[in-house]
């Protein structure tokens, strides 16, 4: 018995594996990251769609509201102005206070503005609702999990309130034993619309935005007048005037696929993987 005890004491201890202090950049799975990217790309489509789908209808809108094409074009100007200002406010506020509540709010505004535009019968309502539509389309992804790092960190912190998804509420109710979980502290914050302007100080970013802005400005000016000119000069119907925009859209899709792959020969990896 004594010999057995001595042998047990002389047996060398198993080495304990070292604990890594490296913090994981993101706890979201690869599938979650892909779905978030798909949802973000899908939601980004609404702002441009709501803008360009409006151009073929300028002439019938002016006739229906008994106003001039020039006044209807002002609704395009107001839409573009709001779409340039709103993201600087909504984006900064979403990064600070959480993205899901802002997404829900903008989706509600966008949906209500679309219903109002379908029912309105005055120029004043058209002008106002187009601005609301632009503000609502600035950020609109309802099915996002909360990804703001100030709220959930790398995804390991538990969101609270409207930052939670419906699945989070269902899972929390199905757990009978309450276990403590880390939550980010709530802080009040007033949005700073000028915070995003710091990116202009970066030379590469400024040049990219300059060329992109010039292209979008020229394209918007041409697109806004194309349907009206085609109807007046060539006697096209409203449907035919709308089909005039299809070649530009198809060409843009083909150009994105044909120039994107040569510019990125190596497969892109998800950030944090």
């Amino acid at each position: 018995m004594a010999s057995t005890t001595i042998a047990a004491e002389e047996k060398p201890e198993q080495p304990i594996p070292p604990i890594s202090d490296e913090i994981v950049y993101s706890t979201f799975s690869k599938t979650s990251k892909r779905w978030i990217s798909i949802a973000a790309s899908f939601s980004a489509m609404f702002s441009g769609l709501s803008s360009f789908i409006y151009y073929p209808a300028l002439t019938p809108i002016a006739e229906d509201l008994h106003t001039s094409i020039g006044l209807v074009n002002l609704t395009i100007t107001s839409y573009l102005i709001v779409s340039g200002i709103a993201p600087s406010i909504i984006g900064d506020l979403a990064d600070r206070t959480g993205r899901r509540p802002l997404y829900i709010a903008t989706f509600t505004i966008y949906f209500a503005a679309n219903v109002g535009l379908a029912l309105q019968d005055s120029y004043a309502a058209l002008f106002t609702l187009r601005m609301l539509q632009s503000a609502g389309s600035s950020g609109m992804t309802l099915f996002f999990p909360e990804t703001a790092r100030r709220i959930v960190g790398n995804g390991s912190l538990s969101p609270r309130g409207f930052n939670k998804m419906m699945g989070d509420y269902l899972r929390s109710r199905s757990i009978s034993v309450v276990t403590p979980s880390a939550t980010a502290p709530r802080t009040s914050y007033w949005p700073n619309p000028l915070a995003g302007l710091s990116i202009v100080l970066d030379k590469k970013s400024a040049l990219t935005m300059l060329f992109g802005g010039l292209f979008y400005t020229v394209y918007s000016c041409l697109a806004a007048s194309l349907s009206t000119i085609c109807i007046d000069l060539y006697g096209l119907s409203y449907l035919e005037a709308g089909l005039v925009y299809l070649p530009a859209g198809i060409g843009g899709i083909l150009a994105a696929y044909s120039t994107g792959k040569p510019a990125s020969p190596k497969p892109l990896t998800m950030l944090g993987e």
Side-chain angles (χ1 to χ4, degrees):
M1 187 69 177
S3 60
T4 305
T5 306
I6 296 174
E9 292 178 351
E10 293 179 353
K11 185 178 181 181
E13 297 181 355
Q14 296 293 332
I16 300 176
I19 300 175
S20 175
D21 294 333
E22 183 181 356
I23 300 176
V24 180
Y25 184 80
S26 175
T27 60
F28 290 104
S29 64
K30 182 183 295 186
T31 302
S32 298
K33 293 177 184 178
R34 288 178 176 174
W35 278 112
I36 291 173
S37 300
I38 292 173
S41 302
F42 181 75
S43 65
M45 177 183 67
F46 284 94
S47 179
L49 180 64
S50 300
S51 176
F52 290 101
I53 202 173
Y54 187 70
Y55 295 147
L58 293 178
T59 299
I61 288 175
E63 294 176 355
D64 185 64
L65 297 180
H66 306 288
T67 187
S68 64
I69 294 293
L71 288 177
V72 176
N73 283 337
L74 288 178
T75 62
I76 299 177
T77 304
S78 65
Y79 184 95
L80 294 177
I81 291 175
V82 174
S83 65
I85 297 176
S88 62
I89 300 175
I90 296 176
D92 182 63
L93 187 60
D95 288 338
R96 300 281 183 168
T97 62
R99 298 189 175 110
R100 276 191 55 81
L102 269 298
Y103 289 146
I104 295 174
T106 53
F107 176 80
T108 303
I109 294 173
Y110 183 79
F111 180 79
N114 285 333
V115 173
L117 286 170
L119 301 177
Q120 60 79 31
D121 57 357
S122 67
Y123 175 77
L126 174 68
F127 189 88
T128 303
L129 291 172
R130 280 288 289 174
M131 290 191 293
L132 288 177
Q133 184 188 44
S134 178
S137 64
S138 300
M140 205 193 67
T141 306
L142 185 60
F143 301 102
F144 260 177
E146 183 56 65
T147 57
R149 289 191 169 270
R150 291 178 177 269
I151 305 299
V152 295
N154 63 352
S156 59
L157 300 180
S158 300
R160 297 186 295 183
F162 286 105
N163 298 95
K164 284 187 176 182
M165 295 181 65
M166 182 60 67
D168 296 330
Y169 284 105
L170 295 178
R171 281 192 296 268
S172 62
R173 290 186 178 183
S174 63
I175 299 175
S176 57
V177 179
V178 179
T179 58
S181 59
T183 57
R186 291 184 178 272
T187 57
S188 58
Y189 177 77
W190 185 258
N192 180 14
L194 302 179
L197 295 180
S198 59
I199 195 174
V200 181
L201 301 178
D202 181 72
K203 184 185 299 184
K204 295 180 180 180
S205 300
L207 289 175
T208 301
M209 290 188 294
L210 176 61
F211 286 111
L214 290 175
F215 172 80
Y216 189 81
T217 300
V218 173
Y219 186 77
S220 297
C221 292
L222 294 175
S225 57
L226 183 60
S227 64
T228 304
I229 293 175
C230 289
I231 292 174
D232 293 340
L233 293 182
Y234 303 107
L236 300 182
S237 64
Y238 299 147
L239 176 60
E240 292 171 335
L243 295 177
V244 172
Y245 293 89
L246 287 182
I250 295 174
I253 295 174
L254 295 177
Y257 277 100
S258 60
T259 60
K261 290 184 177 180
S264 303
K266 296 180 179 181
L268 298 176
T269 58
M270 298 296 293
L271 187 63
E273 295 180 357

